Amino acid sequence: MNHTASTATRSSPCANGSAARRWLAPLAWLLLLTYACWGMPWLEPLFRLVEPDSRDVIYARADFFLLLGRHMLVVGVAALLAIGIGVAAAIAVTRPAGRDFLPMVSQLASMGQTFPPVAVLALAVPVLGFGTLPVIVALLLYGLLPIVRNTLAGLEGIDGGVAEAARGMGMTGGQRLLRVELPLAAPIILAGIRTSVTINIATAAIGSTVGASNLGDPIISGIVNGNIAYVLQGALLIGLLALSVDSLFARLQPASPQ
Amino acid sequence: MREGAGSNSVLVSLMLVLLVSWLGLDAVSVAANRIVPGEGIGLGGVAGWPGILLSVAPMLGVLWLAWRPSPGRLRVALLLVMAMLAALPVWLVVAAALTVDPALPQSRLSIGPAVWLALFMLLLSRIELRGRIRVPRWQGALLDLLPLLSLGLCLLTALEPLALRQEYLAREPAFIAAIGEHLLLVSVAVLVSLSLGVGLAMAMRRWPSAQRFGFTLLNFLQTIPSLALFGLLLAPLAWLSNRFEWIDALGVSGIGWAPALLALVAYSLLPMVRNTYVALEEVDPGVIDAARGMGMSRAQIFRQVRLPLGLPVLLEGIRITTVQAIGLTAVAALIGAGGLGRFIFQGLGQAAMDLVLLGALPILIMALLADALLGALTERLRPGGLR
């Protein structure tokens, strides 16, 4: 839910250290997530403590792996589309032919960040109906903004001298883009993708209120039925998923100065 | 931006999208009562040829003006765009009069996708035009006031069948209470996190070893999805209120405002601490040196140099926090914290889309207003030429 992580950097706990150690955090979180999905029934005595009076304390309406898979699918599809469209749009408006659109697109991208994700999700339903599709569309639309903004910031922030040198070497526009501009902008673009995915994992969970079945289901069902154990299971898994994905991004992202 | 007097391609494309969607999508939908699904009606179905010609004329006008733009022509285009924005509510009044049968008091009118898209495209055109031409501030404000006035007038005098308005009238006290709850939760969360955040940032400056740990912890909190954090807070708070009577007496329980406030503060801390830290840290050392050279004491330097220089960055933190908290409070409605999110989730549960709008639109407007007001305040307090 961090609106600014795109520009400011996060201090990642695995920024330095040997290669093996840098993979440790994402691997540990992923293992924990898998283990939690698989071994939740064995934690029954623990959940019995918070919910001593309920008949069932382990959410059993759907397999946790299935819910996790659906959650990742929705976020993944939305993220892939958002990355494709967002980066392409940002590239298009920074080329000479599309430069006219730059002021409007950049203002839209920064203004759109003000929109609460829940409101976007809620407004997608009247237009698109219930189910998984409106959630994907809402996630896609909302996820576009940080990606467009950061790609623009990355491409526009490149030192003019570098672009000049590339031109002087006889590179064509396409070569400059692929070999100079995009690699230089990559860390900032990646930060935008990270923000986008982090927000989307959270928003997708809320999406289970509009008929998209995912890890938000146990939470919503727990709240509706007054079963805190369900809520805890859903919250635990979503939290672990978010941390796994975030630490994966932290691993991919080169450490940049605070 | 391109050389020569080429057409304004942005405005041209916006107008083309507007034309196509205006002609092709449903303008309104009408339902006999709240339960039955509405029936979409296109532009032709509402007002026939006169309506089509009358509404398309200003769009074609802007299109023509944008084809061969000059500052004068773009000024006229801006006027036309604002007039069209002001005409949208009037259009709803006309549509209501033409399509809703007055003999059926239960029937209601919902705003169709064509109108929403037109609103969006016209707002984009406004952004584009205001970026291209210089308009005196009072003229710009006057132009912006026009659509708002028109909307207010139409809502007050006509538009009884508008479903959004009916949903509002059906729960007017609850709506006002919800806005109050929403604002209260947001402001308390922002104030608490402001005082905590400033304290934490100062502590981090004094003990740099705590800084890394502090930021890691706050990042960690920020990564946990809101629904999950609300859920995770449910259990310990419920346990605490069961265990200790005085906590229960305070009104703290697993659901309600307590977990919502805790989660809101937890999310607000990262932007607040980070911006306070930056505000305190990133004052040019030369300036501090100069102040010390003038014989200022530490306290004086803090009050007279660091604070005024850091204030805009601090305010930026407050802005981010406030906007974020407005959105998160909507989610908090799921755990019974009240606020405008209640209408969203109630509406989703009853498949009453206008009730969803009744919750979502004010949240959106609140977020935009908070962003604009705090942004303007930041600009105002920014010392000239220093940053």
Side-chain angles (χ1 to χ4, degrees), chain B residues 285-298 301 305-306:
Chain B
V287 177
I288 304 291
D289 239 19
R292 201 168 292 142
M294 284 165 68
M296 283 186 172
S297 67
R298 256 183 86 98
I301 291 178
V305 181
R306 279 188 192 274

Side-chain angles (χ1 to χ4, degrees), chain B residues 182-203:
Chain B
H182 210 104
L183 288 176
L184 187 69
L185 259 180
V186 169
S187 42
V188 171
V190 170
L191 284 179
V192 169
S193 64
L194 177 65
S195 38
L196 271 180
V198 171
L200 274 178
M202 285 188 167

Side-chain angles (χ1 to χ4, degrees), chain B residues 267-291:
Chain B
Y267 281 122
S268 306
L269 273 180
L270 178 67
M272 209 62 112
V273 171
R274 187 169 51 205
N275 278 53
T276 315
Y277 189 80
V278 170
L280 294 173
E281 197 73 349
E282 285 199 347
V283 177
D284 186 0
V287 177
I288 304 291
D289 239 19

Side-chain angles (χ1 to χ4, degrees), chain B residues 66-86:
Chain B
W67 195 255
R68 290 268 165 273
S70 68
R73 288 184 176 203
L74 287 183
R75 227 169 272 267
V76 179
L78 180 62
L79 203 66
L80 274 176
V81 166
M82 297 317 283
M84 277 192 269
L85 273 174

Side-chain angles (χ1 to χ4, degrees), chain A residues 1 4 100-101 107 118 238, chain B residues 9-10 127 132 274 320 324:
Chain A
M1 311 281 348
T4 48
D100 285 352
F101 287 84
Q107 203 174 351
V118 198
I238 296 177
Chain B
S9 49
V10 180
I127 292 177
R132 295 277 170 209
R274 187 169 51 205
I320 296 168
Q324 188 183 271

Side-chain angles (χ1 to χ4, degrees), chain A residues 10-27:
Chain A
R10 293 152 175 245
S11 54
S12 57
C14 47
N16 31 37
S18 67
R21 271 190 55 198
R22 290 167 69 188
W23 281 106
L24 206 63
L27 262 179

